[in-house]
Each structure stands twice: as structure tokens, then as C-alpha cells.
Amino acid sequence: MYKTSDGEEIFVIDAHIHLWDARPENQRNVHGAQFINCFHDYHSALSPPEYLWSAEKFQYYGPETLYEDLFVNGYDDMAVCQPTYLKDFYTNGFNTTEQNAELLKSYADRIILNGAFDPRDGEAGLEALEGLVETYGIQGVKLYTAEWRGDSKGYKLSDAWAKRYLEKAQSLGIKNIHVHKGPTILPLNRDAFDVADIDDAATDFPELNFIVDHVGLPRLDDFCWIAVQEPNVYGGLAVASAFVHARPRYFAEMMAELLFWVGEDRLLFASDYGIWQPKWLIEKFMTFEMPDDLKAETGVDLTMEGKRKILGLNAAKLYGVDIEAKKASLGSM
Amino acid sequence: MSASVKSLDPRRDEIWARLSTVSDPELDESVAAMGFVESIEISDSGEVRIGFRLPTFWCSPNFAFLMAHDMREAVGGLDWVRRAEIALTNHCNAEEINRGIGGNLNFAETFPGQTEAELDDLRATFRRKAYQGRQEKILRYLMAEGYTTERLADLTMGDLTSLVIADSKFETLRARYAEIRCEFGGPDASDDIAFTTPEGDAIDVNNFKQYLTVLRRVRINTQFNANMCKSLLDARYDSAGE
């Protein structure tokens, strides 16, 4: 819970967090080491200096540190835990649904556990998805379309098998599809960050919500265009919000674009913890004000009401969280 | 590379000048300015080796290939260069790309079975974004100087060329725009319109503001990426203080 200077309480749902294990003993090969190093570079590039972690702490921080950083110090009331399997890089996976489910043992009231699927798993994966819904009651999945799998360097949401998985997800009652775009997808001559397949999927599955991680970066322009056309496309602000500290002018320009094209009802705050910590992200986001020149030019502003929606109300709608009831139950503990 | 070569060899400056003409297609900034050139080695007999690094281990192999290819072409164009080798390091496809560029292979030959075409379409897509980005920068500059949208919509190449604004920033913006305009804006005789859509059509003055909004979105994205890449490169190679 964030409290403004006039005592107003703002309920925060952090739409994108991880509990990963990238320790050397879990790294399967050089890619495992390179992957966590790359994350650590993101962490180092955009965090304020007092929040920097050593490479060693960054490899594994564990459930207790996570709880402290998010819910004790970090203003988060709830957080959506997104899995990233990466079994080609990590022996037990990087942060699978099963690994993340550890958090439910102690913090079930605060964690929204998401699952994952990969269309390249064929029929067996469809059954596994059913299992995830039965075991954990997941309402959302995280898809990483650039994940390596044997000889494959990724897939598209418009692939025939991807459609079968989306159909299955919908029939199982899953509502929220978080999509992360990354490079090295095949065929290699195409733009690996192309978000056009999200457009196709959002049109074909109007009842599913597609939350595009990192607001489609580095294809923000294409993402905005798709979000204008498709009412069920949302933007997750992980990475984008981290710029509020290191490059505030760019953050302002980006937010102006997003508010203009996508609007305050379809943007979700996300820390991407452990890459960044919600404490400083939220403090800086709350004190941020849209510069006058951008307000004048784009006609948009980031108001207190907009901040409230982005920090929690929008995610509460997607995940069916009754905020007043939740506040009461968390407060009475 | 010996210290004497590093500090005194004029050939090094020639190579640097050539590398400064090679753009990262995605960012529309030169590989030299971005810090992607890690080292330059020159042998007495004119063999050149360029150390090439990128912000992440997974930067898209297609852009990496394009840059490596363009660097080899640019450096190889110097008459004293007998052989130009590009050595990409710390990248998931370094081996394939170095072998492909070294062996004069095209993209499909470098990545057999992993591509359906060469990179012309990709290059064209991002060249178009570069055109939009450069055009937006100079349009905004002129608007800040007091030019109205009516005046800008009518401005000819002759007008643009003869504009006198004592600011090196303007000179750079104008040169960068002029360089790319011929690829999109149609004929550039002095009485041709200076600012056209990427299709070469005049910009409707009634829709000028909306047109600018689209350009702005493209430019912000490109600049954002460039910032991200610079920050990541600094974090990866701890070169922030350089």
C-alpha cells in the first residue's frame, strides 16, 4: 500500500515479478550464465546505485527477501508471479510455475500465480496446461515466444499450434495472456521483435486479454498501433517504468505516447522484480509529473486517478481482485 | 596492437571515419558512436581486424550480420586495405557471423535452414523508420524556430538548402535529412517539396499535426532503443566512464 502525502491509500498490484534460481549449480550451459548476466546488466543499467545487487545475490535471493522487498518495503499489496522456464539453459528451470508455487506456502494471500505453455510441447503440453489449472487455479499464463527449445529458436502466436493452446486456455477459464517478445526467433531474416502476431491472436480471441510485456519494447510504435486497434491488448510497464529514474525525460515521452494511444485503463505497473525493486519505482512513479510541453502537445496527463489505475485498479479487474475485501483481509492479519 | 600504431597511424583515422558511416539499422546511429567498435588492429601489409561487440549476448543476429557486413564493405573500400576481418565477440551467433562475413557468404548461407530470405526487407523497414526519425527531428527544430506548418508543407529543397541558421546542430540535422531524403522523397531538384511522406507524397497541411504525431512515435522508439543499448553496453563492459 502506498500512502500519498494527504493520506490517501493506493492499492498496488505488481503485474510482473519473478523468483528465479540462476545459481551456477543450476546453470546447464554457457547460455544460463549469459542469460543471468544479461538480466544483471539491465539491473545495473537502470537501478539507482543504492539498490544495486552483486552478481551473486542477483543469481538467487529466495522467498524471504522477495517478501521483504515487495510487501514490507516495496508498497506492493499483491504481485503476479510470472514463470520463465528456460529449461535449455537451467537444469531445473529458471523460474517455473512449480518453483514459484513455493511462495504460495507462506504468502498465498499476496501472490497471483501464473502458469505458462509452449505450443512446441504439442498434445502433452495441452494436458500439462490442464494440470496447472487443476493444481493451482491459474488465471493467466506467461509466454516467452523467443525461448529456445532444442533446434527451435522460438514461435509465433499466429502458429497453428499456438492457436490450439489459446483455444485450450480459453476453455479452461484462463483469461490473461502475458506475452514477452525477445530476439533470435525464426526465421532469422524477420524482425525478431515484431509484435504483429499479437494483433492476429487478439483479433482471433477477443475474450482473452493480451498483456504485452515491456509495452512491446523495442517496438513501442508498433505496439501502440496494435493496442489502438485491439481493445483486449494491454501494456505491461516493466522496463519502461525503470526509466523513470535513469532517463526521466524519456520516461515522460514514453508515458505521453502510451497515454495518448493506449490510455490509462490499459496499462499495468510492473517491477520485473528481481531486476528492479518496486520501492524506488513506485516512489518515483508517484512523484512523477507530466512535463507541461508534453501535456500541451499530446493533450494527455498522468493524473492521480491514472496512477491509481496503473498501479492496481487495472490489474485488479483483469485478475478479479476485490480491492476492498482484500484490504480488509490483509489488514486484519 | 602496438601503442605506436594506436596513436600515430593515420590509417586508423581513415578506418574510424569509414566505420562512422556504418549505421546500426535499428537505431540509425553509427556503430562507432554507439561504442560497438571494441578494437582496430592494422598490420603493416594492410590487413585490418575490427573487434565488434554488442549490448547483449542475444542481440538480433540479423542486425548483427548487417552491421558486420557493412563494416567489412566500408573498411574494405579503402584502397590500402588488403583484407578486412570483422570479429564479433560475446554473442550467441558470433561464430556463424564471423565465419559468414569472413567467407563472403550471404545471410542464408551463414544461417542455413534458419532463414527464408535475405535481409533486404528488414533493412528497408528500418531505413524507412530512419527517414521518419530524421525528418521529425528537423521539422521540430524548424517549428521551434518559428516556422509554421503551412510554411513547412510548402518548403522546397532549394529553400531548405539555402536556409541560414547559425547552429551546428541544425547543420547536422539538415545533412542527415538530405542524405536519406533521396531514398524516399522523390526527385530533389531545388523546386521539389522538401518534406514528403515516405511514399514521396506532399504532406497535407490540414493533417500536418497528425503526421507529426506518427513521426514522433517512431522517433521516441528509436531513441529509446538507442538509450537502452548504450546503458546496457555500459553495464556490460563497465565503460560508463570512458
Side-chain angles (χ1 to χ4, degrees):
Chain A
M1 191 80 68
Y2 183 90
K3 268 195 189 157
T4 65
S5 49
D6 8 337
E8 192 194 340
E9 293 185 331
I10 296 188
F11 192 86
V12 178
I13 301 178
D14 189 335
H16 194 140
I17 64 145
H18 302 284
L19 176 67
W20 62 61
D21 181 359
R23 286 175 288 195
E25 54 269 34
N26 190 29
Q27 293 172 9
R28 186 185 284 275
N29 49 38
V30 65
H31 297 123
Q34 291 287 355
F35 189 84
I36 194 65
N37 289 346
C38 183
F39 266 29
H40 191 255
D41 288 344
Y42 273 88
H43 166 78
S44 309
L46 296 178
S47 294
E50 62 271 32
Y51 290 90
L52 287 178
W53 283 353
S54 68
E56 196 183 13
K57 178 171 181 189
F58 196 78
Q59 288 171 350
Y60 183 78
Y61 38 87
E64 289 80 20
T65 304
L66 177 145
Y67 183 81
E68 284 284 317
D69 286 340
L70 300 187
F71 305 114
V72 179
N73 301 320
Y75 310 111
D76 283 5
D77 293 288
M78 300 182 76
V80 187
C81 200
Q82 310 281 10
T84 314
Y85 280 61
L86 295 175
K87 287 203 162 173
D88 273 20
F89 297 177
Y90 296 95
T91 310
N92 301 319
F94 181 65
N95 80 140
T96 63
T97 310
E98 291 75 15
Q99 287 167 309
N100 291 335
E102 277 294 300
L103 291 168
L104 295 180
K105 287 184 183 159
S106 310
Y107 318 121
D109 51 338
R110 295 199 181 265
I111 295 289
I112 297 169
L113 189 76
N114 270 0
F117 65 67
D118 188 319
R120 293 167 294 185
D121 291 334
E123 295 288 350
L126 291 171
E127 277 173 40
L129 183 62
E130 244 171 68
L132 284 178
V133 173
E134 274 168 30
T135 312
Y136 303 114
I138 56 167
Q139 300 181 57
V141 288
K142 166 76 187 277
L143 310 182
Y144 193 82
T145 61
E147 183 164 342
W148 290 11
R149 172 80 43 103
D151 289 337
S152 164
K153 299 286 188 277
Y155 66 91
K156 287 200 172 294
L157 285 184
S158 46
D159 294 348
W161 269 101
K163 286 192 178 174
R164 282 194 61 183
Y165 272 74
L166 290 169
E167 278 164 16
K168 182 75 177 179
Q170 185 162 306
S171 75
L172 291 169
I174 290 172
K175 293 183 304 192
N176 302 317
I177 313 291
H178 294 252
V179 189
H180 180 110
K181 285 279 164 183
T184 74
I185 203 164
L186 290 174
L188 291 180
N189 57 299
R190 300 275 187 82
D191 178 8
F193 292 100
D194 184 6
V195 284
D197 58 329
I198 293 171
D199 199 352
D200 296 337
T203 306
D204 290 346
F205 296 92
E207 281 157 43
L208 294 176
N209 303 308
F210 291 84
I211 300 100
V212 181
D213 284 337
H214 321 313
V215 286
L217 285 166
R219 299 289 173 265
L220 184 73
D221 45 353
D222 299 325
F223 165 74
C224 285
W225 185 241
I226 289 169
V228 167
Q229 323 285 321
E230 309 291 344
N232 53 333
V233 168
Y234 292 70
L237 287 174
V239 179
S241 49
F243 273 70
V244 71
H245 164 70
R247 300 195 189 254
R249 176 69 193 183
Y250 278 102
F251 178 75
E253 291 194 298
M254 233 181 344
M255 283 307 297
E257 288 301 298
L258 289 166
L259 290 166
F260 181 86
W261 295 96
V262 186
E264 64 186 28
D265 294 314
R266 287 195 279 145
L267 296 171
L268 307 181
F269 167 76
S271 66
D272 225 337
Y273 182 84
I275 304 185
W276 298 292
Q277 300 226 17
K279 181 172 166 58
W280 67 263
L281 287 169
I282 291 171
E283 284 170 358
K284 285 173 192 285
F285 181 75
M286 285 306 296
T287 51
F288 171 82
E289 285 185 32
M290 188 63 74
D292 288 338
D293 66 311
L294 287 174
K295 272 198 258 187
E297 192 183 322
T298 60
V300 298
D301 194 4
L302 183 55
T303 61
M304 186 57 87
E305 182 56 20
K307 287 177 178 174
R308 209 182 288 121
K309 288 177 179 173
I310 292 168
L311 283 174
L313 297 180
N314 295 340
K317 272 188 198 156
L318 293 182
Y319 281 93
V321 175
D322 178 339
I323 289 181
E324 288 313 315
K326 196 75 194 176
K327 271 162 95 170
S329 75
L330 287 172
S332 65
M333 285 170 47
Chain B
M1 174 178 7
S2 72
S4 62
V5 171
K6 195 173 187 176
S7 57
L8 294 175
D9 193 339
R11 295 180 302 173
R12 196 184 155 81
D13 297 336
E14 288 183 45
I15 288 183
W16 192 254
R18 284 298 177 113
L19 291 174
S20 299
T21 67
V22 175
S23 288
D24 178 331
E26 190 185 16
L27 306 177
D28 194 31
E29 287 214 37
S30 92
V31 294
M34 284 302 298
F36 294 170
V37 178
E38 191 173 27
S39 60
I40 299 172
E41 293 171 44
I42 309 168
S43 78
D44 291 341
S45 55
E47 286 171 332
V48 178
R49 186 174 197 271
I50 308 292
F52 170 33
R53 66 185 186 185
L54 288 167
T56 81
F57 190 70
W58 281 278
C59 284
S60 295
N62 43 27
F63 290 119
F65 183 90
L66 283 177
M67 285 184 266
H69 170 271
D70 293 356
M71 283 194 264
R72 188 199 60 201
E73 295 292 300
V75 172
L78 289 165
D79 55 11
W80 56 265
V81 172
R82 279 187 47 226
R83 184 166 176 277
E85 182 193 349
I86 309 299
L88 176 62
T89 55
N90 273 328
H91 187 273
C92 61
N93 299 115
E95 209 177 298
E96 294 101 314
I97 289 174
N98 291 338
R99 192 170 49 227
I101 297 296
N104 222 351
L105 306 181
N106 63 28
F107 190 65
E109 291 161 345
T110 303
F111 291 100
Q114 298 186 66
T115 179
E116 53 180 18
E118 287 304 305
L119 302 176
D120 306 336
D121 288 350
L122 187 77
R123 200 195 276 274
T125 300
F126 283 86
R127 194 66 180 159
R128 179 189 159 98
K129 292 188 186 204
Y131 173 77
Q132 293 173 305
R134 293 186 194 187
Q135 186 180 66
E136 198 245 1
K137 281 184 199 158
I138 188 166
L139 283 173
R140 296 238 174 228
Y141 185 97
L142 292 172
M143 288 170 79
E145 287 288 308
Y147 282 76
T148 62
T149 50
E150 288 79 10
R151 176 89 178 92
L152 289 172
D154 287 342
L155 207 71
T156 64
M157 280 309 287
D159 297 334
L160 183 63
T161 311
S162 56
L163 262 183
V164 178
I165 298 176
D167 179 358
S168 63
K169 188 182 170 195
F170 174 70
E171 295 299 336
T172 306
L173 293 177
R174 176 164 61 185
R176 296 258 299 159
Y177 179 65
E179 185 206 8
I180 201 168
R181 186 195 171 283
C182 60
E183 295 172 35
F184 295 89
D188 55 0
S190 63
D191 56 350
D192 286 313
I193 293 285
F195 298 111
T196 70
T197 68
E199 291 75 37
D201 301 324
I203 302 163
D204 179 358
V205 70
N206 297 312
N207 290 324
F208 206 89
K209 285 252 160 67
Q210 289 94 312
Y211 179 76
L212 269 178
T213 310
V214 173
L215 293 190
R216 174 195 162 80
R217 198 162 32 125
V218 175
R219 187 258 305 169
I220 285 176
N221 197 51
T222 310
Q223 280 187 332
F224 182 91
N225 296 343
N227 272 320
M228 193 77 225
C229 291
K230 278 178 186 151
S231 300
L232 284 175
L233 195 76
D234 286 346
R236 191 175 192 200
Y237 293 105
D238 196 20
S239 53
E242 277 179 16

